Amino acid sequence: QVQLAESGGGLVQPGGSLRLSCAASGRTSRTNAMAWFRQAPGKEREFVAAIRYNGGHTYYADSVRGRFTISSDKTKDTLFLQMNNLKPEDTAVYYCADGPRLILSQIRVPRAYDSWGQGTQVTVSS
């Protein structure tokens, strides 16, 4: 399995921006997709955004569409999440995930991903 390490979280005021990064290492074969999920205290892990490595098609949760942008640098095997106009309800631990065996219909489903990072905390508060 590939190893994933997130960075870039922190405390930001409402309306502010953050850029998360996820560096992958140990990859021995091409993945199908990578994604960002988040989990707030007392809530289930929820889908945020995903990107297919074949073609680069992107997918977003309705709650973040238009505010967040997922992208990747294949040369560095790094995933990014640019988060703009952040809201208090975006507060959560953000995880990146890798899905080498992922089926497209399950791109928003956590169990479809094989590898996870340790997470990075994002807090949106004034």
Side-chain angles (χ1 to χ4, degrees):
Q1 289 185 338
V2 66
Q3 289 77 50
L4 304 173
E6 302 97 335
S7 61
L11 173 64
V12 64
Q13 293 186 344
S17 298
L18 282 175
R19 189 189 194 209
L20 304 184
S21 298
C22 172
S25 61
R27 190 182 299 284
T28 59
S29 60
R30 191 181 65 180
T31 189
N32 281 346
M34 294 189 73
W36 290 97
F37 288 79
R38 66 187 182 187
Q39 188 166 17
K43 295 187 177 181
E44 293 187 353
R45 190 166 299 190
E46 67 170 355
F47 172 78
V48 175
I51 184 167
R52 291 173 60 185
Y53 266 50
N54 184 15
H57 193 77
T58 56
Y59 304 79
Y60 295 96
D62 289 342
S63 59
V64 307
R65 186 176 288 111
R67 300 187 298 122
F68 291 10
T69 302
I70 188 171
S71 62
S72 65
D73 183 341
K74 293 183 180 180
T75 62
K76 298 180 180 179
D77 207 354
T78 301
L79 184 71
F80 303 100
L81 185 68
Q82 177 66 42
M83 305 186 294
N84 298 328
N85 191 22
L86 282 160
K87 304 176 181 181
E89 52 263 42
D90 294 319
T91 296
V93 177
Y94 283 70
Y95 299 90
C96 68
D98 183 68
R101 301 177 299 163
L102 181 139
I103 300 172
L104 183 58
S105 61
Q106 295 188 327
I107 201 166
R108 294 177 171 83
V109 179
R111 68 174 182 272
Y113 294 83
D114 291 335
S115 299
W116 293 82
Q118 80 288 350
T120 185
Q121 176 71 47
V122 171
T123 303
V124 184
S125 175
S126 55

